[in-house]
């Protein structure tokens, strides 16, 4: 970066802002700058503000003759990838917020110079309704199941799942989204042409076929350790919120959560068994940052936090049962009715203390609803009328007229 730090000592040049249609030179400039700077962005950000990306690249390219942005574009094209730059129609506005938190804590990298995208989807189309789902690599069966179900449920509700394609929770969230036939985005620490982990090469191909594989590092770049931490800011910035499914106290997924908090995005955590070390990070987050962290247990909970008006989870206490909502008199009538033998109207009315005409008026709707049946000896309960469990759940289409007939008596 020494070749960047002394540029301000040279005679200033007015900043050039290329027209938005001037896409190719600007993309080449940003690709070249990304090769020069790597992750050391603190000096570059100041230079970009002073000179602009095109002018800055023109000043520096002669010092780096081995860097050819067009070769990177060709290498990306061989695996079906393309560059996306800030200002492009496909650029997600959520990433621009990274410049606003640059310098806060460890967030000194800022908005990516360029993103490499491999896949069929348009980033601008699938990013507006995106949610990050992250967690530990050494996930338990419980964590895998929760991540898959949340990914599936969110995909079915029209959300894009963003994660890092790592072992454990990341992969489970991606697979859940794919099972829900929804788009998913994998953000890699290396180049989009370098599958990592290698065991997930097929998964990454499937993600690219149904969504996107993204990276800010040029094609061919290896996934160095620090790049995992810096790519986490992109995962957090792409999502309207971040869901932490399972994480230990020192899990790298907590780094993604910290970025989400700095960005002002909704942070959610899935609780786990109190005896599980893999959920200790989630529990500490819920305890130490309770004002900024929401406990969620399902895709519906997540939608309530980050979705629009009307995306509310059904908070019913349980399934509708055969006797739910019936009046006290009707319930007494059912309780007094035998299940195997039969009873006449007069005797039944005497058991509940009502006139025979009232008992007969109640028995008609009960018979229509299948709770009571008529035999030669009188009336008796059906299996549905006897049930007080989920086996006696009533069909929704039949419940509406019955409620009006029976509950008002």
């Amino acid at each position: 970066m020494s070749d960047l730090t002394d540029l301000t000592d040279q005679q200033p040049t007015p900043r050039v802002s290329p027209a938005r249609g001037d896409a190719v030179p600007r993309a080449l400039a940003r690709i070249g700058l990304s090769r020069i700077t790597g992750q050391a962005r603190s000096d570059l950000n100041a230079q970009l503000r002073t000179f602009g990306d095109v002018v800055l690249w023109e000043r520096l390219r002669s010092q780096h003759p081995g860097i050819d942005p067009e070769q990177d574009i060709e290498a990306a094209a061989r695996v079906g990838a393309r560059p996306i730059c800030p200002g492009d129609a496909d650029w997600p506005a959520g990433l621009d917020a990274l410049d606003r938190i640059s310098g806060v804590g460890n967030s000194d990298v800022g908005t990516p110079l360029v993103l490499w995208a491999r896949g069929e989807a348009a980033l601008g189309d699938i990013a507006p309704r995106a949610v990050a789902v992250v967690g530990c690599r050494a996930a338990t069966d419980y964590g895998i199941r929760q991540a898959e179900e949340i990914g599936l449920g969110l995909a079915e509700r029209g959300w894009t799942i963003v994660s890092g394609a790592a072992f454990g929770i990341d992969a489970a969230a991606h697979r859940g989204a794919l099972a829900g036939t929804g788009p998913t985005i994998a953000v890699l620490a290396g180049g989009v042409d370098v599958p990592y982990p290698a065991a997930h090469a097929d998964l990454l191909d499937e993600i690219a076929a149904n969504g996107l594989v993204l990276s800010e590092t040029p094609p061919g770049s290896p996934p160095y350790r620090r790049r995992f931490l810096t790519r986490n800011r992109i995962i957090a910035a792409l999502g309207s919120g971040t869901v932490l499914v399972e994480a230990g106290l020192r899990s790298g997924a907590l780094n993604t959560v910290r970025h989400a908090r700095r960005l002002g995005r909704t942070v959610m955590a899935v609780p786990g068994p109190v005896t599980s070390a893999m959920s200790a990070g989630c529990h500490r987050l819920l305890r130490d940052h309770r004002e900024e962290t929401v406990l969620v247990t399902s895709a519906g909970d997540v939608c309530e936090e980050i979705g629009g008006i009307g995306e509310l989870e059904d908070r019913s206490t349980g399934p509708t049962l055969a006797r739910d909502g019936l009046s006290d008199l009707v319930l007494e009538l059912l309780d007094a009715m035998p299940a195997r033998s039969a009873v006449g109207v007069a005797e039944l009315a005497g058991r509940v203390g009502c006139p025979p005409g009232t008992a007969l008026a109640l028995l008609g709707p009960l018979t229509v609803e299948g709770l009571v049946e008529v035999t030669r000896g009188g009336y008796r309960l059906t299996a549905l009328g006897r049930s007080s469990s989920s086996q006696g759940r009533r069909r929704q289409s039949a419940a509406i007229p019955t409620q009006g007939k029976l509950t008002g008596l």
Side-chain angles (χ1 to χ4, degrees):
M1 289 297 296
S2 59
D3 46 3
L4 287 176
T5 56
D6 59 357
L7 281 177
T8 52
D9 297 331
Q10 303 176 19
Q11 184 175 354
T13 300
R15 177 172 178 172
V16 177
S17 298
R20 183 160 296 199
D22 193 14
V24 174
R26 189 162 185 265
L28 293 176
R30 285 187 162 260
I31 293 168
L33 291 172
S34 70
R35 280 286 189 184
I36 293 173
T37 62
Q39 301 295 339
R41 287 285 303 278
S42 56
D43 291 334
L44 176 67
N45 288 339
Q47 302 299 330
L48 282 172
R49 288 191 293 269
T50 302
F51 300 107
D53 42 25
V54 175
V55 172
L56 183 59
W57 169 239
E58 289 297 330
R59 286 171 171 262
L60 295 175
R61 64 186 304 177
S62 62
Q63 303 173 30
H64 302 274
I67 295 178
D68 186 351
E70 292 184 351
Q71 288 185 355
D72 284 333
I73 293 177
E74 293 170 0
R78 286 194 288 270
V79 295
R82 60 198 180 277
I84 305 174
C85 296
D88 290 349
D90 224 14
W91 184 263
L95 291 179
D96 295 336
L98 289 170
D99 273 344
R100 295 196 293 271
I101 66 167
S102 181
V104 178
N106 293 322
S107 301
D108 59 351
V109 181
T111 301
L113 285 165
V114 60
L115 281 180
W116 297 93
R118 177 167 78 94
E120 299 298 325
L123 184 58
D125 292 340
I126 65 176
R129 277 179 63 87
V131 56
V133 180
V134 297
C136 60
R137 289 175 171 80
T140 66
D141 290 342
Y142 165 81
I144 295 293
R145 184 172 65 254
Q146 293 301 316
E148 288 176 344
E149 290 181 357
I150 288 174
L152 171 64
L154 288 171
E156 290 177 338
R157 289 166 168 83
W159 287 88
T160 299
I161 301 301
V162 184
S163 199
F167 290 117
I169 299 301
D170 288 14
H174 288 306
R175 291 191 176 102
L178 293 170
T181 64
T184 183
I185 299 173
V187 183
L188 303 185
V192 293
D193 56 344
V194 182
Y196 189 87
H200 285 173
D202 291 342
L203 174 62
L204 289 168
D205 287 343
E206 190 173 357
I207 291 171
N210 294 273
L212 287 172
V213 177
L214 295 181
S215 177
E216 67 175 324
T217 62
S221 301
Y224 294 136
R225 182 180 179 85
R226 176 167 171 75
R227 287 176 175 168
F228 286 97
L229 296 177
T230 55
R231 69 88 188 262
N232 287 345
R233 81 193 193 285
I234 299 175
I235 295 176
L238 283 172
S240 298
T242 294
V243 182
L244 184 67
V245 175
E246 202 172 43
L249 293 175
R250 298 179 61 84
S251 172
L254 294 173
N255 176 259
T256 306
V257 169
R258 284 190 287 271
H259 286 299
R261 286 170 51 203
R262 294 183 185 119
L263 287 163
R265 308 292 165 82
T266 302
V267 174
M268 296 154 280
V270 177
V274 296
T275 55
S276 173
M278 291 299 99
S279 290
C282 297
H283 297 158
R284 176 168 290 182
L285 190 66
L286 288 164
R287 184 180 67 249
D288 294 350
H289 301 280
R290 65 190 70 181
E291 296 84 3
E292 302 170 304
T293 309
V294 181
L295 185 151
V296 294
T297 61
S298 66
D301 289 349
V302 176
C303 285
E304 278 198 358
E305 299 303 320
I306 62 174
I309 297 174
E311 294 190 61
L312 300 177
E313 178 72 330
D314 181 9
R315 298 298 179 187
S316 59
T317 56
T320 302
L321 304 182
R323 299 191 181 197
D324 287 351
L326 301 181
S327 67
D328 291 341
L329 182 56
V330 173
L331 292 174
E332 289 181 17
L333 194 70
L334 291 173
D335 289 339
M337 190 175 299
R340 293 179 174 81
S341 59
V343 64
V345 175
E347 181 181 349
L348 187 61
R351 291 181 181 181
V352 298
C354 73
T358 300
L360 185 61
L362 295 174
L363 289 170
L366 288 171
T367 303
V368 172
E369 289 301 320
L371 301 177
V372 171
E373 62 182 352
V374 183
T375 68
R376 290 184 178 180
Y379 291 87
R380 69 180 180 186
L381 291 175
T382 64
L384 181 62
R386 295 193 303 270
S387 175
S388 60
S389 67
S390 59
Q391 294 177 351
R393 186 183 302 179
R394 298 166 65 191
R395 295 189 303 273
Q396 186 68 25
S397 59
I400 296 174
T402 302
Q403 300 295 320
K405 294 176 182 177
L406 300 180
T407 57
L409 296 175

